[in-house]
Amino acid sequence: MAKHTIVLIPGDGIGPEVTSAAKRVIEAAGLSVEWIEVPAGAVAIEQGFDNVLPDQTLNAIKTHKIALKGPVTTPVGKGFKSVNVQLRQKLNLYAAVRPVRSLAGIKTPYSNVDMIIVRENTEGLYSGIENEIVPGVVTSLKVASELACTRIARYAFRYATRRNRKKITVFHKANIMKLSDGLFLKCARRIYEEEYPNILYDEVIIDAGCMKLVQDPAKMDVLLMENLYGDLVSDLCAGLVGGLGVVPGSNIGDDAAVFEAVHGSAPDIAGKGIANPLAVIMSAVMMLNHIHEETIATKIRTAYDNVLAEGKVLTRDLGGSAGTNEFADALIAKLQK
Ligand code: NAD
């Protein structure tokens, strides 16, 4: 088996705990891998770098193309620009893909949830263009470009087609943001009409879309939306299937891909050894499929599906009492059977 080189960014908060558990599971599943561990976030500053996203980290991803990343804390209202926003913009990781599915053994009011959120990852209100016009009046610019809107729409339709998905629903607020969300819609509609008439297509104003999501999420298939909406709707959807501990994600560009959970650094539980590593492990499964290690990916997925279905070893967010490592050990035991 060819040896893979994968960049590992432990991040901060619960990041080092959950990524080291994921690393153990990946190795136990038999991946031949060299990890290139690089810092990001507060850790990078502590190590003497002058940016939360050091050039060394960026260059490692540019060189090796694939990274598994833990979450990183972003100070509220001050400080450095978010590591995540920098990473996605600098590496042009324009598509965030977040599968949200019901899992056997995790009880929620919903069953049969199986949707994919495709979030535009590089512009919108995350462009970071904010100005103080006069004291007491500030603006934050929402950027939408035809290039980025078309690129994400095409990505979503291609993804849906390849994965045998039936329908794309665009969440928008073009009734209010007529130009920016209007452009997003126009581009999605054009890609649908000109390139992918095989997929069903729908447009829903996001407030009503959120209501529909909580009424009957099983009706949703692929959801396509701009940056901020995708951020908010991801956490909402996580709540439908058991929480942030069970929703993975990927940030995909034409030249590189970074795999990370939807959740953040969870400072409230960091360092306690109780975080659920599953979302990062599921992100690693997405990564393994991306690098064509499908057999290993399926082994890990079967192992966690079995552990969850048995319900004996669950972390606290899922109603159990297992710690991060105990859960990873249970997965590893299944892999070795
Ligand atoms: P969060 O996702 O860190 O936590 C929200 C809640 O979910 C908390 O109660 C937390 O304990 C729980 N939770 C999250 N992940 C969990 C896990 N794996 N296991 C068990 N419980 C889990 O969101 P937040 O508190 O709003 O943000 C904390 C920090 O993370 C902020 O600085 C934010 O900017 C950052 N953040 C980073 C990323 C990223 O690096 N990709 C993503 C989101 C938020």
Side-chain angles (χ1 to χ4, degrees):
M1 185 202 302
K3 188 163 188 161
H4 296 277
T5 306
I6 298 175
V7 176
L8 182 73
I9 305 170
D12 52 41
I14 59 170
E17 301 162 55
V18 288
T19 52
S20 82
K23 193 174 150 195
R24 283 202 297 124
V25 170
I26 295 166
E27 288 171 1
L31 186 74
S32 172
V33 55
E34 180 191 357
W35 299 100
I36 309 285
E37 192 169 318
V38 285
V43 186
I45 304 297
E46 280 158 31
Q47 290 180 13
F49 292 97
D50 59 3
N51 190 324
V52 280
L53 181 61
D55 285 344
Q56 181 199 344
T57 300
L58 214 47
N59 289 336
I61 306 173
K62 281 183 187 159
T63 304
H64 301 293
K65 317 284 187 208
I66 301 290
L68 183 64
K69 176 183 166 295
V72 169
T73 308
T74 306
V76 175
K78 60 179 168 52
F80 285 99
K81 184 169 175 176
S82 152
V83 167
N84 302 312
V85 174
Q86 284 194 60
L87 202 59
R88 293 163 193 172
Q89 290 175 349
K90 287 183 177 170
L91 295 174
N92 228 349
L93 305 172
Y94 57 85
V97 181
R98 295 164 163 190
V100 181
R101 69 175 173 112
S102 302
L103 293 157
I106 301 183
K107 289 196 182 56
T108 75
Y110 307 97
S111 56
N112 303 323
V113 177
D114 180 11
M115 57 189 161
I116 308 284
I117 298 166
V118 178
R119 164 189 177 191
E120 202 293 319
N121 229 3
T122 61
E123 48 181 40
L125 278 166
Y126 288 63
S127 304
I129 308 170
E130 294 194 309
N131 291 298
E132 184 177 54
I133 305 299
V134 292
V137 181
V138 295
T139 60
S140 195
L141 285 189
K142 175 163 173 164
V143 177
S145 68
E146 193 165 350
L147 185 145
C149 295
T150 304
R151 183 173 63 179
I152 193 67
R154 186 173 283 122
Y155 182 91
F157 278 98
R158 192 175 57 223
Y159 181 97
T161 303
R162 286 186 180 163
R163 307 276 170 141
N164 285 322
R165 293 278 174 169
K166 302 283 172 276
K167 182 174 180 181
I168 289 188
T169 305
V170 181
F171 277 15
H172 68 91
K173 195 75 189 171
N175 49 332
I176 305 297
M177 280 158 279
K178 295 177 195 288
L179 281 185
S180 53
D181 281 19
L183 180 62
F184 195 87
L185 274 187
K186 196 175 108 194
C187 295
R189 216 176 281 158
R190 201 182 59 230
I191 296 295
Y192 159 62
E193 285 167 358
E194 294 178 6
E195 300 180 23
Y196 291 93
N198 57 306
I199 300 287
L200 297 169
Y201 175 75
D202 196 11
E203 297 167 355
V204 177
I205 294 177
I206 187 161
D207 29 357
C210 289
M211 180 202 64
K212 288 180 186 204
L213 271 175
V214 293
Q215 275 184 329
D216 190 358
K219 283 204 176 120
M220 296 293 182
D221 192 351
V222 177
L223 300 178
L224 168 63
M225 61 200 87
E226 62 87 76
N227 211 339
L228 177 65
Y229 307 156
D231 195 357
L232 307 183
V233 169
S234 296
D235 279 36
L236 186 159
C237 290
L240 305 174
V241 295
L244 286 163
V246 297
V247 178
S250 58
N251 303 288
I252 310 280
D254 291 333
D255 302 316
V258 175
F259 295 81
E260 64 177 337
V262 168
H263 66 68
S265 57
D268 52 336
I269 55 167
K272 296 183 179 165
I274 58 172
N276 189 349
L278 185 54
V280 178
I281 293 168
M282 293 167 105
S283 308
V285 166
M286 294 176 77
M287 176 184 79
L288 290 164
N289 282 318
H290 185 86
I291 60 174
H292 301 295
E293 290 288 358
E294 289 90 353
T295 308
I296 296 179
T298 305
K299 259 169 86 175
I300 298 176
R301 183 174 163 158
T302 307
Y304 67 65
D305 276 346
N306 287 340
V307 171
L308 294 178
E310 284 172 12
K312 289 189 212 135
V313 184
L314 298 176
T315 45
R316 291 169 197 223
D317 54 313
L318 300 181
S321 59
T324 310
N325 282 326
E326 207 181 323
F327 181 78
D329 289 341
L331 285 196
I332 291 169
K334 282 274 180 252
L335 288 169
Q336 286 162 351
K337 271 193 185 149

